[in-house]
Amino acid sequence: MTEGRAHFPIEPWALTEIGLDMASLAVHESVFALANGHIGMRGTLEEGEPVVVAGTYLNGFFEERVLPYAEAGYGFPEQGQTVVNVTDGKLIRLLVGDTPLDLAYGEIIDHRRTLDLRAGVLRRTTEWRSPNGRTVQVTSTRLVSFTRRSIAAIEYSVECTDDGGDLYVALQSDLLANALVEGTGADDDPRAAAALRKPLQSEMAVARGRHAVLVHRTRRSKLRMAAGMDHSVEVPDSSTEDIEASGDLARYTLAARLPAGGKLRLVKYLAYGWSSRRSTEAVRDQVEGALATAKLAGWDRLVREQRELLDAHWAQSDVRIDGDDELQQAVRVGIFHVLQAGLRAERQPIPAKGLTGPGYDGHTFWDTETYVLPVLIYTAPDAARDALRWRHSTLDLARERARVLGHRGAAFPWRTIRGEETSGYWPAGTAAFHINADIADAVSRYYHATLDEAFDRDYGTELLVETARLFTDLGHFDVEDGFRIDGVTGPDEYTAVVDNNVYTNLMAQRNLREAAAAVKRQPDTAGRLDVTGEEVDHWLRAADAMRVPFDTRLGVHMQSDAFTHHEEWDFEGTPPEKYPLLLHFPYFEIYRKQVIKQADLVMALHLCGDSFTLEEKIADFAYYEARTVRDSSLSAAQQAVVAAETGHLQLAYDYWAEAALTDLQNLHQNSGYGLHIASLAGGWTVAVAGFGGMRDHGALRFSPRLPDRLTRLGFRVVYQGRVLQVTITADQATYQVMDGEPLDIHHHGRAVTVGDSERVLDIPPAPVVQPVHQPAHAAPRRRTRPASD
């Protein structure tokens, strides 16, 4: 077997790479990443080579850097934050005789890696013949524990598979800090990360027996982290071992003699922790304690705990698709990575790339609340609660940011790691105040889905109040136009600093009404926040008078004031190599035209769908479909949901595949920086909100329909203590409460009660609509291979 022939067979519960594709190495490092929300490890080979980005990340652990401005302005953020590639514990270098195992050299007889979605581990098998003619088989299984937040582990074995007599091998199991930062070949891409050179300063290095710990501190942000390792070893014959630790390197070395057919097995236990306040010794002790209990539990128990947790999770989160095996695999991969991004974040942010790579500097955006949290709210609500508690923990910083900008309430950052605003670009960044409403929407969605009174009292109401205060201060009443919110940027970052963006206004309207409802539920919290009856009346009057611009000539809503009067973009004259536009045209030129980066008004049709009639949705979707180029991975899932609702089922199906396959096929050419967690979440969203038609506007509503290709779609959602199963075929939908009390829902507008027996209901025909079209070169990205039968 030679490099460049890797392929991925279609499997329902795994993702397997057979062969080695050097050109796609960075992408596969992202796809095979393991994480638990606290620790993230890219899918690099244990031997360390070949490698593109050898990243290991701790959620919330970053270094500061100065944001450069040619000309500074009042209110501009001064400090950036960049995720740090921390101490790498994945390394287990292997020397066969005196030759290091490196798959770029020698002969690869067989190589395959499997991400097991049920077991939650990364398995790898390699048979390799060294340049000196000796052959070994290496197998490894890697795990980042969902049940033990600080723990990762690797089982690594080497077997002599030739008949050349005794084979001498050496393993070097490392902890390595400040490894050289490599790139993915697109240094001019603003979606990439700022390079950090040696951000970690050594504070402690200790080693004894088979155990070592390194403690480091960042130079500017003054965060302290520790990484520890310990080992269990099984050897068939004589061996020697040694350990050392100093500065940036700790190394355990094991040399052994393997007879023909002999096998060496090593289990490497890893523990990570960090703190902004604890001492060097305290951080070391935290890691050593976690490491000791993990080694005591042993490898088999760690694997068993991982499988048991995932069995429980899949029982309430799986999406079953009959009729498209490739899409089935991709959607499950997406659900798994969403779980990895947030399950054990525990009051830390969920970054746009999760913990799979350094893209976007490791920042969290509105992606979290609008794309990722809806998946977690209805499948793993405790994880969603923790993410919202992290937002609440940053409220003081958001209040201070609002004051700097001259407003009341809280102004949450467009991009951040710790909570400060770190976006150095105002028009398409910090002017996007819709992030406040996105957070409020997630808070409200979580409350309605869980009825978590303690969260509502202690966290949710305060978030809703402070976001509502910002919007009432940003907006103003106008004699002719009602309540206006001017000078903001909506989700479409190609149309910046506009008046009355429909998405922002309607989401703010919901924010205001939900805040009023929350203070009524929680009068004590309202009193603590000095909310008066007059303030609540002001919120409700603003909500009722919210401006939603409409073009009566065209019969469509304007994305923002006068948008439909802007000059059209010359799509026919824009060649495909000029996409994404942001890398090839001045922003000023883009801002002046009717060209849309990603779903904006169309997303309002989904998330604020109760504000539109079906006829308005059909007309709006057709108009904006013709102007949306999807230069963002965020767009396809939202377009799919609205396409399904408006009768364009085949188009919705095509967009579904684009969203789910974004990283598996590297459709945006930047998956090497890390996965697009929001797009992967879109695989679940299109299944449930698109073809399942689920909406949660105060009560669960379903309007399911399937595209011709699929014969059956099934999913479960967790709602108010119940587990609801939904199964959809071409003509019927079946609802059943699998766990909990009966539940009132709506099916295509009809109120029904669902209990523990199956409720089978007919599906009405889809609306008959005219075909829609996309801009030139912006049709849904087609799969590189046809959907399987």
Side-chain angles (χ1 to χ4, degrees):
M1 179 181 294
T2 60
E3 69 166 85
R5 296 181 183 175
H7 66 281
F8 289 82
I10 301 300
E11 303 170 274
W13 285 102
L15 183 69
T16 297
E17 171 197 45
I18 300 176
L20 183 67
D21 183 357
M22 296 293 289
S24 300
L25 201 60
V27 175
H28 296 173
E29 290 170 357
S30 299
V31 169
F32 286 118
L34 292 181
N36 64 5
H38 172 59
I39 305 168
M41 293 182 167
R42 283 174 61 82
T44 51
L45 299 169
E46 283 82 9
E47 297 79 25
E49 298 288 346
V51 64
V52 180
V53 180
T56 300
Y57 310 101
L58 298 179
N59 197 351
F61 191 84
F62 67 93
E63 178 61 306
E64 292 178 345
R65 57 187 175 85
V66 176
L67 288 176
Y69 298 102
E71 184 176 344
Y74 177 79
F76 283 15
E78 298 179 358
Q79 298 292 328
Q81 298 169 354
T82 297
V83 66
V84 172
N85 177 20
V86 300
T87 308
D88 189 356
K90 303 185 299 294
L91 293 169
I92 304 175
R93 303 186 189 278
L94 170 63
L95 281 80
V96 179
D98 58 357
T99 303
L101 191 154
D102 183 340
L103 298 188
Y105 301 95
E107 178 188 356
I108 302 173
I109 300 170
D110 182 64
H111 173 73
R112 63 189 62 213
R113 289 189 290 177
T114 297
L115 180 64
D116 188 324
L117 305 177
R118 282 192 179 277
V121 299
L122 177 64
R123 297 191 179 92
R124 170 268 187 110
T125 301
T126 300
E127 189 170 8
W128 179 77
R129 182 174 292 114
S130 70
N132 62 21
R134 300 307 304 267
T135 303
V136 293
Q137 179 169 288
V138 174
T139 61
S140 68
T141 303
R142 185 183 303 174
L143 175 150
V144 175
S145 177
F146 287 136
T147 60
R148 301 168 186 256
R149 185 172 182 260
S150 302
I151 296 300
I154 303 170
E155 181 188 47
Y156 189 93
S157 66
V158 183
E159 182 177 359
C160 177
T161 56
D162 62 28
D163 56 1
D166 289 348
L167 176 64
Y168 288 85
V169 300
L171 295 182
Q172 296 173 329
S173 177
D174 291 354
L175 295 174
L176 177 64
N178 287 319
L180 177 66
V181 176
E182 299 291 346
T184 59
D187 294 336
D188 59 344
D189 191 332
R191 300 166 295 187
L196 296 177
R197 301 294 176 181
K198 294 194 173 184
L200 298 174
Q201 294 179 308
S202 175
E203 291 193 326
M204 180 181 289
V206 295
R208 61 181 183 276
R210 296 170 176 171
H211 171 102
V213 176
L214 298 181
V215 182
H216 286 80
R217 193 179 188 188
T218 54
R219 298 173 186 274
R220 294 174 62 92
S221 62
K222 305 302 182 185
L223 303 181
R224 179 173 285 115
M225 60 85 52
M229 66 177 179
D230 205 341
H231 303 82
S232 297
V233 176
E234 297 174 10
V235 293
D237 205 333
S238 58
S239 65
T240 62
E241 54 188 330
D242 188 28
I243 195 160
E244 58 182 317
S246 176
D248 290 342
L249 175 67
R251 171 170 290 170
Y252 167 70
T253 302
L254 174 69
R257 183 175 63 195
L258 299 183
K263 186 175 183 179
L264 162 66
R265 176 179 179 267
L266 174 144
V267 176
K268 181 176 188 177
Y269 300 94
L270 294 163
Y272 287 89
W274 72 269
S275 176
S276 60
R277 54 183 178 81
R278 288 196 293 273
S279 68
T280 303
E281 292 76 13
V283 175
R284 177 203 62 193
D285 293 346
Q286 172 193 347
V287 163
E288 289 191 328
L291 200 57
T293 58
K295 187 176 181 182
L296 177 64
W299 171 257
D300 291 342
R301 185 180 181 91
L302 295 180
V303 171
R304 185 169 65 252
E305 291 173 349
Q306 192 87 334
R307 177 61 186 251
E308 290 171 351
L309 184 143
L310 280 168
D311 283 346
H313 180 70
W314 285 117
Q316 60 189 32
S317 69
D318 187 26
V319 171
R320 297 188 61 181
I321 303 167
D322 290 352
D324 189 335
D325 293 342
E326 182 186 33
L327 191 56
Q328 174 71 88
Q329 180 190 47
V331 168
R332 282 178 174 152
V333 168
I335 294 170
F336 180 77
H337 276 297
V338 169
L339 183 72
Q340 288 201 129
L343 183 65
R344 300 305 303 272
E346 296 181 7
R347 283 172 275 177
Q348 290 294 337
I350 299 177
K353 296 290 187 179
L355 297 174
T356 67
Y360 291 116
D361 287 309
H363 291 169
T364 187
F365 298 76
W366 67 298
D367 308 21
T368 297
E369 281 79 13
T370 302
Y371 289 81
V372 179
L373 290 197
V375 181
L376 295 176
I377 286 169
Y378 300 111
T379 63
D382 288 348
R385 184 180 194 268
D386 282 342
L388 291 170
R389 288 185 65 184
W390 169 75
R391 279 292 188 190
H392 182 272
S393 74
T394 68
L395 250 176
D396 285 343
L397 293 171
R399 288 187 180 105
E400 177 58 28
R401 178 65 177 164
R403 283 193 289 272
V404 168
L405 298 177
H407 292 289
R408 295 181 68 230
F412 283 96
W414 179 242
R415 58 188 300 168
T416 189
I417 294 178
R418 186 168 57 190
E420 299 93 341
E421 177 63 81
T422 61
S423 176
Y425 189 65
W426 175 267
T430 48
F433 289 102
H434 68 82
I435 189 169
N436 262 38
D438 301 322
I439 293 167
D441 180 68
V443 168
S444 302
R445 188 183 298 272
Y446 172 79
Y447 172 73
H448 291 302
T450 63
L451 301 180
D452 185 342
E453 197 275 337
F455 171 84
D456 191 44
R457 179 191 65 237
D458 298 336
Y459 308 101
T461 296
E462 189 170 11
L463 286 166
L464 290 170
V465 165
E466 296 296 1
T467 49
R469 282 172 168 166
L470 180 80
F471 281 120
T472 52
D473 211 42
L474 279 177
H476 69 281
F477 286 97
D478 180 79
V479 174
E480 295 183 359
D481 289 336
F483 191 79
R484 299 175 57 93
I485 302 177
D486 296 334
V488 301
T489 299
D492 172 23
E493 296 160 14
Y494 284 175
T495 311
V497 192
V498 297
D499 296 342
N500 296 307
N501 170 255
V502 169
Y503 175 86
T504 302
N505 282 18
L506 288 179
M507 292 288 281
Q509 180 186 66
R510 176 173 296 168
N511 188 168
L512 296 169
R513 289 172 175 163
E514 291 286 352
V519 299
K520 185 176 181 180
R521 291 191 304 266
Q522 303 293 344
D524 290 344
T525 303
R528 176 172 60 82
L529 298 173
D530 298 323
V531 178
T532 65
E534 291 77 10
E535 183 175 20
V536 174
D537 289 343
H538 185 72
W539 295 345
L540 294 176
R541 285 193 298 111
D544 291 342
M546 190 68 68
R547 172 161 168 75
V548 179
F550 187 83
D551 188 324
T552 55
R553 178 180 59 88
L554 295 173
V556 298
H557 288 88
M558 291 185 278
Q559 183 172 283
S560 55
D561 278 353
F563 177 85
T564 55
H565 299 284
H566 291 182
E567 185 180 354
E568 298 278 3
W569 185 271
D570 180 12
F571 295 111
E572 294 296 333
T574 305
E577 63 269 17
K578 291 296 184 179
Y579 289 92
L581 300 181
L582 63 94
L583 299 183
H584 299 94
F585 294 93
Y587 273 118
F588 172 71
E589 190 65 18
I590 295 172
Y591 291 161
R592 301 169 59 240
K593 304 291 179 63
Q594 287 192 57
V595 56
I596 299 165
K597 179 181 181 182
Q598 60 201 34
D600 186 314
L601 188 133
V602 167
M603 188 159 60
L605 302 179
H606 169 203
L607 297 181
C608 305
D610 50 347
S611 297
F612 302 88
T613 67
L614 178 59
E615 292 72 23
E616 289 173 337
K617 292 177 183 178
I618 291 171
D620 287 347
F621 179 73
Y623 186 85
Y624 289 96
E625 182 71 2
R627 291 158 179 81
T628 303
V629 295
R630 291 191 330 288
D631 278 351
S632 166
S633 64
L634 297 178
S635 197
Q638 297 294 342
Q639 288 173 264
V641 170
V642 180
E645 183 178 5
T646 55
H648 302 283
L649 295 175
Q650 180 58 46
L651 178 60
Y653 180 58
D654 292 339
Y655 279 138
W656 190 13
E658 178 179 317
L661 293 165
T662 284
D663 291 309
L664 295 184
Q665 295 186 359
N666 193 21
L667 296 179
H668 288 261
Q669 301 302 307
N670 64 346
S671 295
Y673 298 128
L675 302 180
H676 300 77
I677 300 299
S679 187
L680 293 175
W684 181 94
T685 300
V686 179
V688 175
F691 295 112
M694 189 181 95
R695 301 291 186 272
D696 187 4
H697 301 314
L700 277 187
R701 302 172 183 272
F702 296 89
S703 298
R705 289 189 180 95
L706 289 189
D708 291 339
R709 174 76 192 192
L710 302 186
T711 59
R712 184 182 299 266
L713 172 66
F715 57 85
R716 292 181 176 182
V717 292
V718 180
Y719 192 78
Q720 296 183 359
R722 293 101 155 169
V723 177
L724 176 67
Q725 178 171 287
V726 181
T727 305
I728 308 161
T729 62
D731 303 316
Q732 294 180 321
T734 303
Y735 302 94
Q736 185 179 11
V737 174
M738 307 304 295
D739 183 19
E741 298 296 318
L743 179 65
D744 294 329
I745 67 168
H746 287 77
H747 168 81
H748 283 283
R750 173 186 170 189
V752 297
T753 299
V754 180
D756 58 4
S757 60
E758 293 184 349
R759 187 74 184 268
V760 181
L761 301 169
D762 292 335
I763 295 175
V768 178
V769 291
Q770 296 297 313
V772 297
H773 69 275
Q774 298 78 38
H777 316 303
R781 291 170 171 84
R782 302 295 175 180
R783 310 171 196 223
T784 57
R785 57 184 169 191
S788 56
D789 291 316

